[in-house]
Amino acid sequence: MAKTHDTLLSLITGINKWQGNYGKIPDELYKGMLLFIEQTAASTDQPPVDLYHLLKILHRPSKEWGIPDLQDYYPEDAPLLEEFIGLTPDADEFLNRYVSPQDAEQQTMYEILMYCREEGRQLQQEYALIRTFLSNPQNAVVTSFQLSEFADTFLDIQLTNLIKQCYEEITPIMANFRKCPHCGWTLEYKNDRWRCNKEDICHLLADFEFISSFDFGKERVLRLVPGIQRFVLLPGISELRIAERLIRKGYLVELYPNVDEYDLLVSEDGKTIFLDVKDFRDPRTLANFFNHQSPAYLEKYKNKCLIVVPNYRSQLFASYRERSMNLLNETAREYIEMIMENEIESTLKKVFL
């Protein structure tokens, strides 16, 4: 099992580095290929004989690779590489779960979290403001002035700098982009259609028949870096939507309580429950997230927190929640209660009886 994990990690980190510099093949990619060959030597398929052959194999669903127990770490129907986009969204999710957050695409968000959690600091209000700002589609693409106007409201220069690092400049190529009608981020024209980042989940959630250009004139323009768009903005849209709906229903709601120990704290008549939004592409990936946790970690969920899956995930996988729950191991099933977003209100009525 550890070798399977190491194979995937070496391949994904190696290809990720290689995409940034095709002039040199990273050592991690060579290591990943050797591990892949070792893992598939006993399978009926021919192991890769060179890097070109390996890359062809990685364009196929992982269940065809011949690696044992791979489904415990990676979706069976997902390739590792896809034409026009490179590493797939599933590969990005693997990095998000198994690579040190300092090395993942959303490293700046992790640094903000750790800074706000630091003993003696506990910047709950500041953290909630930052997460809310980054989760708002209106802030997915901003001018340099707009970003500075927000970031400079924090007296802590460290936080100001970290907020600005969540963005990258796109001014020279603004004409190549359109505005995503769902998340507000940048659409790029690839493979005969406009796409929003790799997963392009936004196509399910908004009307793409009429899309608009950005109108920033000659101002300096920045967008959220891709990792922040995928792992902060997209789930954040769901988190803010849930919070707003529950507040309208009369519940008290706190965003990101205890400096993001959970996503939402919902209260009514002195009773409380936490909600945690988990936005994974594949129900097995969500189950594996909990299956690989220790009982000590899982303890924070038992009878205290509901796992909430955004509704749109069931559009891609029918019976998403049921599939994920069935794939939980015996230990995780003891601690985890999972619901779909559209079940929140009916579940809360039972909780607060």
Side-chain angles (χ1 to χ4, degrees), residues 282-284 287-288 291 322-329 333:
D282 190 283
R284 179 178 286 277
N288 285 342
N291 289 340
E322 291 78 5
R323 290 191 192 193
S324 191
M325 287 296 295
N326 288 336
L327 290 166
L328 290 175
N329 62 30
R333 196 175 291 123

Side-chain angles (χ1 to χ4, degrees), residues 257-315:
N258 304 329
V259 195
D260 205 24
E261 183 179 8
Y262 306 94
D263 291 326
L264 302 170
L265 170 60
V266 184
S267 306
E268 183 184 64
D269 296 332
K271 297 180 180 179
T272 62
I273 189 74
F274 294 103
L275 304 179
D276 232 11
V277 178
K278 295 296 184 189
D279 186 16
F280 290 89
R281 279 168 56 86
D282 190 283
R284 179 178 286 277
T285 305
L286 176 54
N288 285 342
F289 171 82
F290 292 114
N291 289 340
H292 295 149
Q293 304 294 346
S294 67
Y297 176 90
L298 294 171
E299 181 64 39
K300 77 173 190 173
Y301 291 102
K302 190 171 184 177
N303 300 324
K304 291 183 283 189
C305 179
L306 298 169
I307 302 302
V308 180
V309 178
N311 287 335
Y312 54 80
R313 288 300 168 192
S314 61
Q315 293 178 249

Side-chain angles (χ1 to χ4, degrees), residues 223-280:
R223 69 175 181 183
L224 291 172
V225 298
I228 299 291
Q229 186 270 352
R230 169 61 186 91
F231 297 110
V232 178
L233 173 63
L234 289 183
I237 291 172
S238 296
E239 293 155 6
L240 296 184
R241 179 176 63 243
I242 292 167
E244 290 168 4
R245 188 167 70 240
L246 293 179
I247 290 170
R248 287 199 302 270
K249 293 291 183 178
Y251 294 103
L252 294 176
V253 179
E254 180 183 350
L255 285 164
Y256 315 113
N258 304 329
V259 195
D260 205 24
E261 183 179 8
Y262 306 94
D263 291 326
L264 302 170
L265 170 60
V266 184
S267 306
E268 183 184 64
D269 296 332
K271 297 180 180 179
T272 62
I273 189 74
F274 294 103
L275 304 179
D276 232 11
V277 178
K278 295 296 184 189
D279 186 16
F280 290 89

Side-chain angles (χ1 to χ4, degrees), residues 105 129 162 215 220 247:
E105 272 196 311
L129 284 171
L162 286 171
D215 185 19
R220 184 171 171 236
I247 290 170

Side-chain angles (χ1 to χ4, degrees), residues 11 20 54 98 238 339:
L11 287 172
L54 173 67
Y98 293 115
S238 296
I339 61 174

Side-chain angles (χ1 to χ4, degrees), residues 72-209:
D72 290 333
Y73 292 99
Y74 201 76
E76 295 177 290
D77 294 321
L80 200 72
L81 292 170
E82 187 176 335
E83 196 172 359
F84 300 109
I85 69 169
L87 283 170
T88 62
D90 295 282
D92 287 343
E93 283 198 348
F94 181 90
L95 285 179
N96 181 53
R97 282 158 44 229
Y98 293 115
V99 175
S100 167
Q102 293 94 320
D103 299 323
E105 272 196 311
Q106 74 282 20
Q107 66 178 55
T108 306
M109 194 69 239
Y110 176 79
E111 291 176 16
I112 291 172
L113 174 62
M114 291 297 100
Y115 186 79
C116 291
R117 276 184 179 173
E118 192 171 303
E119 188 174 353
R121 193 173 280 132
Q122 289 296 303
L123 302 177
Q124 169 62 34
Q125 183 178 1
E126 289 84 348
Y127 181 82
L129 284 171
I130 294 168
R131 274 293 297 271
T132 302
F133 182 87
L134 298 177
S135 298
N136 188 333
Q138 293 183 356
N139 303 322
V141 180
V142 295
T143 65
S144 176
F145 175 78
Q146 289 170 328
L147 179 57
S148 293
E149 191 175 38
F150 173 73
D152 291 344
T153 60
F154 296 88
L155 300 178
D156 193 313
I157 190 65
Q158 178 79 355
L159 275 183
T160 296
N161 290 335
L162 286 171
I163 293 166
K164 292 180 179 180
Q165 289 171 32
C166 292
Y167 288 80
E168 61 184 10
E169 185 171 0
I170 54 170
T171 304
I173 51 175
M174 276 300 296
N176 297 339
F177 296 130
R178 298 294 183 272
K179 184 176 182 178
C180 177
H182 172 65
C183 76
W185 204 63
T186 50
L187 301 177
E188 294 183 69
Y189 199 73
K190 294 182 178 180
N191 197 18
D192 298 323
R193 72 169 187 171
W194 291 98
R195 301 181 64 99
C196 185
N197 213 337
K198 289 183 181 180
E199 187 182 8
D200 198 27
I201 189 70
C202 295
H203 253 94
L204 284 176
L205 308 173
D207 182 0
F208 270 58
E209 185 175 355

